[in-house]
Amino acid sequence: KEYSLIVAHYLQYQLKNPEAMILNASKVLAKDGVFSVNGDAVSTWNYFFKDSFDEMSVKSTFIDERIRNQKVKQDVFESMLGKYFSTVESVLLPNNWHYSDAKELVQRLRDMYPEQEKYIDANEDTIVKYFTKKIEKEGEIVVRIESLFWHCKL
């Protein structure tokens, strides 16, 4: 049986062998069908925190490293898609996260970079002060996140 649309969002992280899923999708996708998938990609949260750290004059080398590592994984994933599909189109889906509490942003930072707990602790006062000042000035902080998906065709 062939399918005109196959959606595999947020599955890659649950699979031991994502390439097998991609291969199987390519075998059952109709000639004019679309396989919609997401996978390893650079989180736009990294850019938000990097820009914030740069404005605070707090070193962000661990964020740079995370971006580099995620970019390598993203490139590998895109290359894998290209092995099975002739067209691989990137689609960015924007969504906005609203914050009116600086401590919530610090918690998000901790959740994203648990290995940096000591560094975040050492800089927490600076980080909280920075976000608090922005919230007081702007009423809230809106973080525009873009989720990356790929639409693939045979």
Side-chain angles (χ1 to χ4, degrees), residues 1 16 22 26 28 31-32 36 38 44 47 70 79-80 82 85-86 113 125 127:
K1 183 171 180 168
K16 291 180 183 175
I22 293 166
S26 72
V28 298
K31 187 170 181 84
D32 60 343
S36 180
N38 70 325
T44 49
Y47 299 113
Q70 287 180 344
S79 177
M80 187 181 354
F85 298 96
S86 64
Y113 307 101
D125 290 343
I127 298 167

Side-chain angles (χ1 to χ4, degrees), residues 4-110:
S4 60
L5 176 63
I6 301 171
V7 178
H9 296 171
Y10 304 103
L11 290 177
Q12 180 210 2
Y13 312 106
Q14 307 300 321
L15 301 174
K16 291 180 183 175
N17 185 358
E19 188 165 4
M21 173 195 63
I22 293 166
L23 170 62
N24 287 333
S26 72
K27 289 180 178 180
V28 298
L29 187 66
K31 187 170 181 84
D32 60 343
V34 175
F35 173 52
S36 180
V37 65
N38 70 325
D40 288 317
V42 178
S43 169
T44 49
W45 276 105
N46 291 308
Y47 299 113
F48 168 75
F49 284 124
K50 171 144 181 58
D51 292 345
S52 298
F53 274 44
D54 289 349
E55 288 179 24
M56 289 180 245
S57 299
V58 173
K59 288 186 179 182
S60 60
T61 53
F62 69 94
I63 300 173
D64 294 331
E65 182 179 339
R66 174 73 60 88
I67 292 169
R68 278 192 301 276
N69 291 340
Q70 287 180 344
K71 181 64 175 140
V72 167
K73 289 180 179 181
Q74 179 178 325
D75 290 345
V76 167
F77 191 76
E78 285 180 345
S79 177
M80 187 181 354
L81 292 171
K83 285 172 46 178
Y84 301 100
F85 298 96
S86 64
T87 302
V88 178
E89 176 188 4
S90 299
V91 178
L92 291 173
L93 298 178
N95 59 82
N96 293 325
W97 295 52
H98 299 260
Y99 291 89
S100 57
D101 182 348
K103 296 242 182 211
E104 288 180 6
L105 279 162
V106 173
Q107 186 57 53
R108 178 71 180 165
L109 183 65
R110 289 180 188 286

